[in-house]
Amino acid sequence: MSENFNFPNFAQQGQPQPQNLSRASDSSSREDNSRAGHDNLLPIANVGRIMKDALPPQAKISKRAKETIQECATEFIGFVTGEASERCRRERRKTINGDDICHAMRSLGLDHYADAMRRYLQRYRESEELAAALNSGGGGGGIQIDVRAELSIFRGDEQQGRN
């Protein structure tokens, strides 16, 4: 993998000519790519917190396990978002919305997740409408939706199918 970089005035500063730079630029570009890849990962603390919430209180999670899930979750999000982005591009839209994510999940064969996301999205929109109505009436207070409850519906359906 060779990338071309344009360094203005590079040769004029007494530095090596570009043909001598190829090996150095390859290794530095790999380092830059790995650093850039790390910058695009989900925050490890958030991943660890989500993992811990799903386990019994006495369970321990290794750093390598957190890193593996971090990479997988980041890849999953990129995979689904890429599919949603492609739909938006075809429809000449610039903004990905929740419906695009649900559609992407369905088209990728993730129907159960799409169903849970659709229910979450519907409840979220309802809560936003209610919050707007409360705010316009002088009332306040946030409304929260439990995503885990939506996914547990899926898990419960799956477990019933196994029995």
Side-chain angles (χ1 to χ4, degrees), residues 9-118:
N9 302 323
F10 186 76
Q12 295 174 0
Q13 296 173 354
Q15 298 294 329
Q17 295 299 316
Q19 67 266 18
N20 297 336
L21 182 64
S22 63
R23 283 189 205 126
S25 68
D26 283 349
S27 66
S28 68
S29 68
R30 276 193 297 271
E31 290 172 13
D32 291 345
N33 286 340
S34 69
R35 268 188 249 123
H38 266 307
D39 292 344
N40 292 327
L41 293 175
L42 297 170
I44 193 83
N46 295 359
V47 171
R49 192 174 317 113
I50 292 167
M51 291 173 72
K52 187 173 172 125
D53 286 348
L55 296 172
Q58 69 276 10
K60 304 269 189 225
I61 306 169
S62 72
K63 181 180 178 186
R64 183 68 189 130
K66 290 177 190 176
E67 290 170 347
T68 301
I69 294 298
Q70 178 189 37
E71 291 172 17
C72 290
T74 301
E75 184 70 23
F76 175 79
I77 290 168
F79 187 58
V80 173
T81 303
E83 184 70 22
S85 177
E86 184 60 28
R87 179 184 187 202
C88 290
R89 188 193 60 75
R90 282 192 309 266
E91 295 178 4
R92 298 178 191 263
R93 294 184 292 119
K94 293 184 178 183
T95 304
I96 298 172
N97 61 39
D99 294 319
D100 296 321
I101 299 296
C102 292
H103 182 270
M105 286 181 171
R106 283 201 190 290
S107 66
L108 294 169
L110 303 169
D111 295 342
H112 292 300
Y113 291 107
D115 292 340
M117 178 65 86
R118 173 77 54 206

Side-chain angles (χ1 to χ4, degrees), residues 121-136:
L121 191 56
Q122 181 180 356
R123 287 185 181 176
Y124 175 79
R125 288 174 175 162
E126 290 169 359
S127 71
E128 287 293 303
E129 290 174 10
L130 183 58
L134 289 173
N135 286 336
S136 66

